[in-house]
Amino acid sequence: MFKLTSLNLNGLRSAATKGVADWVAELAPDCICMQEIRVQASDIEGRFEAMAGLKGHFHFAEKKGYAGTATYTKHEPSDVVVGWGDREFDAEGRYLELRFDTPKRKFSVISCYFPSGSSGEERQAAKFRFLKGFFPHLIALKREREFVLCGDINIAHKEIDLKNWRGNQKNSGFLPEERAWMTRLLDEGAEGAGLVDVYRMLKPDTTDEAYTWWSNRGQAYAKNVGWRLDYHLATPGIAKLARNEQIFKTIKFSDHAPITVDYDFTL
């Protein structure tokens, strides 16, 4: 089995003080994708190059203390792609692709951190720019290789993906345009990208147990007033190998829960 985990850390240094390395050692994934690491290369040196025996790879944001992605892996990648070719969003450290290619197979694991639009119109506009540019990138990538994209997508796709869907239809993360983008991403037709939402493939009907993020306001976590924002999005060939999933709701390194999927293959 290939055990693949995704986790928005809300700061690697903060998560380190809460024992994330010990948890990763106990979980023993083959690969763990992290988002919002909020560190620079100087912060990694001598401290975070590896975690629980896994080697780290990083895409740092230019702005200190902001965004960034990482992937820690048991297996040595054949190539590491930092950024997806968009100057605006590559400067924010939002895309890290590890390739594990062999003569018989092209396969990538991607850690991706989609922008949030919740802070206002300016960031929502940036989010829409990201979605517009990222869609053709994923289509092009799917034409040439199998992949799993793990990440904080910052979109709850359907009504079952958040607790208060009626009251959030005008809020970032559940806007009609964002949800339509997700629908198109998962559409197998000529206009779609044909990717698979792996969690929903395995758990098509779950509601409360599907959430991976809770607001820090009120008692959202205690009352499980959550959203499903963290995904595994896979090409169909990889998705069909997914066997089981687990959302670790009681693990609190940030306001997100880790999500793991086991795939029936080995690198």
Side-chain angles (χ1 to χ4, degrees):
M1 286 288 180
F2 179 69
K3 180 181 284 190
L4 178 59
T5 301
S6 185
L7 170 61
N8 178 310
L9 285 178
N10 217 337
L12 178 55
R13 286 170 294 188
S14 172
T17 67
K18 299 173 184 175
V20 69
D22 290 339
W23 181 76
V24 172
E26 182 180 349
L27 181 67
D30 290 275
C31 212
I32 181 165
C33 297
M34 298 176 175
Q35 304 85 42
E36 205 171 356
I37 58 174
R38 295 186 177 185
V39 290
Q40 301 294 310
S42 58
D43 302 311
I44 296 294
E45 190 174 350
R47 189 177 178 191
F48 295 121
E49 291 99 337
M51 183 181 294
L54 308 180
K55 183 180 178 182
H57 302 269
F58 308 90
H59 185 192
F60 306 110
E62 292 178 3
K63 180 181 176 182
K64 287 187 176 181
Y66 183 72
T69 48
T71 299
Y72 287 89
T73 175
K74 184 188 297 185
H75 307 276
E76 188 66 27
S78 57
D79 195 14
V80 178
V81 181
V82 179
W84 54 279
D86 183 287
R87 183 178 299 178
E88 177 183 6
F89 298 107
D90 287 351
E92 296 180 352
R94 295 190 177 275
Y95 181 94
L96 181 66
E97 178 186 347
L98 271 56
R99 295 183 171 179
F100 300 94
D101 293 356
T102 69
K104 295 183 179 180
R105 178 200 67 210
K106 289 184 177 181
F107 171 66
S108 294
V109 172
I110 301 164
S111 182
C112 192
Y113 178 37
F114 284 41
S116 169
S118 59
S119 63
E121 292 183 8
E122 184 178 335
R123 287 310 296 170
Q124 185 62 46
K127 185 177 185 179
F128 284 139
R129 289 195 300 274
F130 179 94
L131 296 178
K132 182 178 180 180
F134 199 47
F135 193 90
H137 168 75
L138 292 177
I139 288 180
L141 198 67
K142 180 172 175 275
R143 289 194 185 109
E144 67 176 46
R145 61 179 50 248
E146 302 278 4
F147 65 84
V148 181
L149 184 152
C150 293
D152 177 3
I153 307 304
N154 268 314
I155 300 171
H157 183 206
K158 295 186 177 180
E159 293 170 3
I160 61 171
D161 292 323
L162 72 168
K163 189 73 169 183
N164 293 329
W165 68 266
R166 286 184 177 86
N168 280 294
Q169 294 177 83
K170 294 183 179 180
N171 290 334
S172 182
F174 199 60
L175 295 175
E177 301 93 330
E178 297 170 336
R179 298 172 62 202
W181 186 91
M182 283 294 298
T183 296
R184 188 172 164 230
L185 188 75
L186 304 174
D187 186 1
E188 298 177 5
E191 296 298 315
L195 296 183
V196 178
D197 179 348
V198 176
Y199 178 87
R200 275 294 169 226
M201 183 192 75
L202 295 170
K203 298 281 189 178
D205 302 315
T206 54
T207 52
D208 291 10
E209 67 186 73
Y211 307 146
T212 64
W213 176 83
W214 300 264
S215 170
N216 288 318
R217 299 173 185 170
Q219 293 183 296
Y221 179 74
K223 296 179 179 178
N224 198 25
V225 180
W227 298 53
R228 187 171 75 98
L229 299 181
D230 302 85
Y231 290 72
H232 283 223
L233 299 171
T235 50
I238 295 297
K240 70 181 181 182
L241 301 175
R243 295 294 176 259
N244 51 71
E245 50 63 46
Q246 190 170 3
I247 294 172
F248 299 89
K249 286 196 172 186
T250 59
I251 301 299
K252 291 291 288 179
F253 300 117
S254 70
D255 48 3
H256 289 257
I259 177 171
T260 291
V261 177
D262 293 323
Y263 296 88
D264 193 7
F265 69 93
T266 55
L267 292 182

